[in-house]
Amino acid sequence: MTIPNGAAILNHMVEGNPQRLDAIFHALSDPTRRAMLRDLSGQQRSVGELAAPFDISLAAASKHIKVLERAGLVQREVQGRLHVCRLDARPLHAGVEWMRHYERFWNERLDALDALLKAEDRVAAAASPANARPANKPSRSK
Amino acid sequence: MSPVIVRVSRRFDAAPERVFDAWLDPATAGRWLFATADGQMQRVQIEARLGGRYAIVERRPNGDAEHFGRYLEIDRPHRLVFTLAMEEDADQGDRITVEIVPDGDGSLLTLTHEMAAEHAEYAKPAESGWTMVLAALDRHLA
């Protein structure tokens, strides 16, 4: 598998929708919004509950939530007088997949490096008499 | 500085110098770094100096996989930092940091792959970044 750059992988993973990708990145770029997502990962929250831990107005909280909604990360529904938000984590799977892709990639590369170094060791061991350790370091001349 | 995307660690039964040199020696690097089982290495050029460039191109069944970059830090055998891009002459690109420490009679390598600059603007380096959110949500959803 080739290793295109991350953006290419992610674009591919959000089904050719780079605008959606940008919206996700933008949504995650703010610490308040990240904290809101963490909060929502446990349970549904009303807008007021989401805003409570922060020193921000309801209007400001609502703006943050709109950004999260645009990224598809939060669904808001009106229950009577309450606006209840819940997490929709599906868009994040693209990001998780992206990270996993790189993790797999580098683990495979390091497997290959390990195999190569071990093969060199075997060649070196075969070339030297068994159980004999050279008394002197081999000369470094080539 | 962009947010950390992926970090992998690996122990090798080889001294740090050997592990380090495998990244910069063209004869060695071409056999594992961006080499895949069903590919054929076309081009391995490595200018192993600060600011030097590398080009590693492998012919694969689905086309050529090209990897280009520049060395930002070379501190044998402890630390190697380079960029990774898909276009030649691209100074942008992802940033790969390889750190190697002695571990008994072997070494421990930690590789950190950071996201390309075009997405870095979305992330606040002071924050632990969106990967934490992704990881937390991933655990939550698992």
Side-chain angles (χ1 to χ4, degrees):
Chain A
M1 186 164 180
T2 186
I3 172 174
N5 68 32
I9 294 172
L10 255 182
N11 283 344
H12 172 71
M13 291 193 163
V14 287
E15 286 153 16
N17 187 346
Q19 290 78 23
R20 163 52 66 85
L21 176 62
D22 285 342
I24 294 170
F25 271 107
H26 177 60
L28 294 172
S29 69
D30 179 271
T32 302
R33 291 197 287 272
R34 287 202 295 270
M36 285 177 165
L37 284 178
R38 270 195 290 270
D39 194 11
L40 286 172
S41 72
Q43 62 278 299
Q44 295 190 355
R45 293 286 200 191
S46 69
V47 173
E49 286 171 329
L50 269 183
F54 308 102
D55 189 17
I56 54 175
S57 66
L58 269 183
S62 194
K63 261 189 201 154
H64 280 307
I65 292 163
K66 279 200 176 72
V67 173
L68 293 169
E69 281 181 286
R70 269 200 298 276
L73 296 168
V74 162
Q75 310 266 336
R76 189 193 309 220
E77 59 179 60
V78 182
Q79 299 177 356
R81 290 179 52 224
L82 274 186
H83 283 224
V84 177
C85 301
R86 57 183 186 79
L87 174 73
D88 183 351
R90 282 171 304 181
L92 289 173
H93 284 300
V96 172
E97 273 308 310
W98 179 32
M99 287 156 62
R100 285 200 181 129
H101 167 89
Y102 277 127
E103 209 169 308
R104 267 199 307 274
F105 172 82
W106 285 116
N107 274 318
E108 283 166 9
R109 297 302 92 229
L110 296 179
D111 285 344
L113 173 56
D114 193 38
L116 187 128
L117 293 172
K118 284 197 166 90
E120 283 179 357
D121 286 341
R122 279 196 298 276
V123 169
S128 66
N131 301 327
R133 294 191 76 93
N136 300 314
K137 281 212 163 93
S139 72
R140 297 192 64 91
S141 60
K142 287 231 164 110
Chain B
M1 185 77 186
S2 59
V4 168
I5 291 298
V6 134
R7 178 169 281 159
V8 295
S9 291
R10 182 66 60 97
R11 191 189 181 280
F12 294 97
D13 289 328
E17 288 77 10
R18 272 183 73 205
V19 176
F20 185 92
D21 291 347
W23 291 82
L24 292 177
D25 171 26
T28 311
R31 288 160 56 202
W32 72 271
L33 180 50
F34 296 115
T36 55
D38 50 2
Q40 211 180 8
M41 201 47 79
Q42 297 290 306
R43 180 179 162 201
V44 181
Q45 290 169 302
I46 293 180
E47 296 169 357
R49 55 176 174 79
L50 196 63
R53 294 170 176 278
Y54 71 87
I56 298 178
V57 179
E58 191 188 42
R59 179 141 303 156
R60 297 180 189 166
N62 56 355
D64 282 2
E66 302 181 313
H67 309 87
F68 304 101
R70 186 189 278 281
Y71 297 105
L72 304 177
E73 289 179 47
I74 300 181
D75 176 17
R76 182 180 190 265
H78 306 294
R79 187 175 157 90
L80 177 69
V81 182
F82 58 92
T83 60
L84 169 61
M86 303 302 118
E87 300 94 41
E88 201 147 15
D89 300 325
D91 270 335
Q92 299 304 321
D94 296 2
R95 174 191 290 239
I96 314 294
T97 301
V98 179
E99 289 160 307
I100 303 169
V101 294
D103 182 57
D105 53 3
S107 30
L108 187 66
L109 179 149
T110 303
L111 180 143
T112 308
H113 186 146
E114 291 171 71
M115 186 165 49
E118 63 254 32
H119 287 304
E121 69 194 50
Y122 294 119
K124 297 272 192 296
E127 297 292 328
S128 50
W130 58 274
T131 54
M132 238 191 60
V133 175
L134 292 175
L137 283 167
D138 195 40
R139 277 196 303 275
H140 171 73
L141 298 164

